[in-house]
Structure formats: structure tokens, C-alpha cells
Amino acid sequence: YQWFKDGVAIADEISPVLTIASAQFEDDATYRVEVTSSLVPGLTLSSNEVVVVVSSLDKDIASLTQFYNDTDGDNWTINDGWLSGDITTWQGVVMNESQSRVVGVSLPGNNLSGEVSAAITGVLNLDSLDISDNKITGIPDMTVLSEFTTLKVSKNQIQFADLEQNLSVAEFEYLEQTIAGTEEFLRGRR
């Protein structure tokens, strides 16, 4: 037996079972095992790949910290609580009923700027994102989140390709995108 993590053999992991005790973010990976036979030379069997995603409030905090940095959070109009204190007090962050997971971010008209990286998709329970009326230039594919239903990005500077990959979001508002360097607008609402 030989276990692999993201295609690289894991040293000393040669048993039939791989156990990850106290999984951490760095354990997020694709795993598989190869089995070779001593009875049949050259025979190697490979398992299907298994994707492991470590999800927790700590990961939500790490993902939103990256979001803050990506969108010039120090210069937001209101950034109360961000990067200090309890995440439940962060301006615009919506928690679930038990206050255990982030389910929404609502920061319309708050002077966010730059490109939102795929780090935001690390908030696995995120169901809504409202970053309308800011200076956002790009967004990732939010459809990778199974719970995601609402994306509001109107009045930004997002290119068509970034908008197009999100067209299947149930509630998607994207009107009046200023095309960088022109006076053209992309108008729409679905």
C-alpha cells in the first residue's frame, strides 16, 4: 500500500487505512492509495480519488481575512470589527442561528475595491454575497458553493467572463457594470 496526497507519495503511509487525526487546513487535499501485488509482478491497483475539505469557523475567518485584504479592507467606509474581535461582530458578516458558521456577507456601497479571489469560496456555508455599488473588478465562480443562492454585484467594474460563470446563481443581480476604460455599462438582472 502507498498513500498519495495531491499526487505525491506520503512518507511512511503504507497501511490499508489512512487516518488523519485532528484534521487541519493543510490536510485539504485529494487522496488516493495504490496497492501493488507481490504475487503478480507489475500489477498495481489504484483507488478512486477522495477529496478532503476541512471546514470550520476558523476556515471561515481565514477566508474572510483574505477577502478583506483582497478588497482593500483598511479603506472600506465601515470595517468595524474586522480582523479583531469575534467574527460575529464583523460589519456585514451574517452568521447562522447557532453563531457557528458564516452564511452571508453584505457590504454594499462600502468602498470595496479590487478583485475578490477564490478564497471567499472557503466559506463553505456561504449562501449570499452582496458587494454591490463598490469598485470590484473581478469575482470567482461562486457556483462551487452548494448552499450559494444570492449574488449581488451591481454597480461595480466586473468583466463579462466573471459574470458569465455565475449566471446559474438563483438570485443574481449584476446591472450597471462599468467597463474599465470606457463609459459603457452592462445592464441586467436575473
Side-chain angles (χ1 to χ4, degrees):
Y1 296 91
Q2 177 61 62
W3 284 92
F4 292 81
K5 176 181 176 184
D6 290 333
V8 177
I10 305 171
D12 300 323
E13 289 296 342
I14 55 172
S15 66
V17 176
L18 175 67
T19 302
I20 301 172
S22 300
Q24 304 295 314
F25 300 142
E26 57 269 12
D27 295 317
D28 278 11
T30 301
Y31 294 87
R32 68 180 171 84
V33 65
E34 286 185 357
V35 181
T36 55
S37 171
S38 59
L39 300 175
V40 181
L43 176 64
T44 301
L45 303 175
S46 188
S47 71
N48 288 332
E49 294 182 335
V50 174
V51 177
V52 173
V53 178
V54 179
S55 178
S56 68
L57 184 57
D58 288 338
K59 186 163 187 175
D60 291 354
I61 291 168
S63 297
L64 289 179
T65 298
Q66 183 65 48
F67 170 79
Y68 178 91
N69 292 326
D70 289 345
T71 58
D72 195 22
D74 288 342
N75 291 308
W76 292 355
T77 305
I78 302 171
N79 60 7
D80 296 351
W82 280 77
L83 307 188
S84 63
D86 189 326
I87 191 172
T88 62
T89 66
W90 292 11
Q91 174 69 31
V93 172
V94 180
M95 305 296 292
N96 63 2
E97 271 186 41
S98 65
Q99 302 290 302
S100 62
R101 295 306 300 267
V102 174
V103 295
V105 175
S106 182
L107 295 164
N110 201 38
N111 201 38
L112 282 68
S113 63
E115 186 166 333
V116 177
S117 75
I120 191 73
T121 62
V123 183
L124 296 181
N125 289 36
L126 192 68
D127 65 18
S128 64
L129 177 62
D130 183 353
I131 51 174
S132 56
D133 198 16
N134 282 290
K135 298 173 195 156
I136 299 298
T137 57
I139 54 173
D141 180 357
M142 301 301 292
T143 64
V144 300
L145 295 170
S146 61
E147 304 294 320
F148 199 76
T149 60
T150 305
L151 179 58
K152 296 181 180 182
V153 294
S154 298
K155 297 182 181 178
N156 277 291
Q157 301 167 358
I158 301 169
Q159 297 296 313
F160 183 74
D162 286 353
L163 296 171
E164 186 177 35
Q165 67 187 353
N166 288 291
L167 287 175
S168 64
V169 174
E171 186 180 338
F172 183 29
E173 295 180 12
Y174 56 90
L175 63 107
E176 294 186 26
Q177 296 299 320
T178 303
I179 308 301
T182 71
E183 294 300 316
E184 295 180 50
F185 292 95
L186 175 62
R187 297 185 184 275
R189 179 186 168 124
R190 205 172 61 80

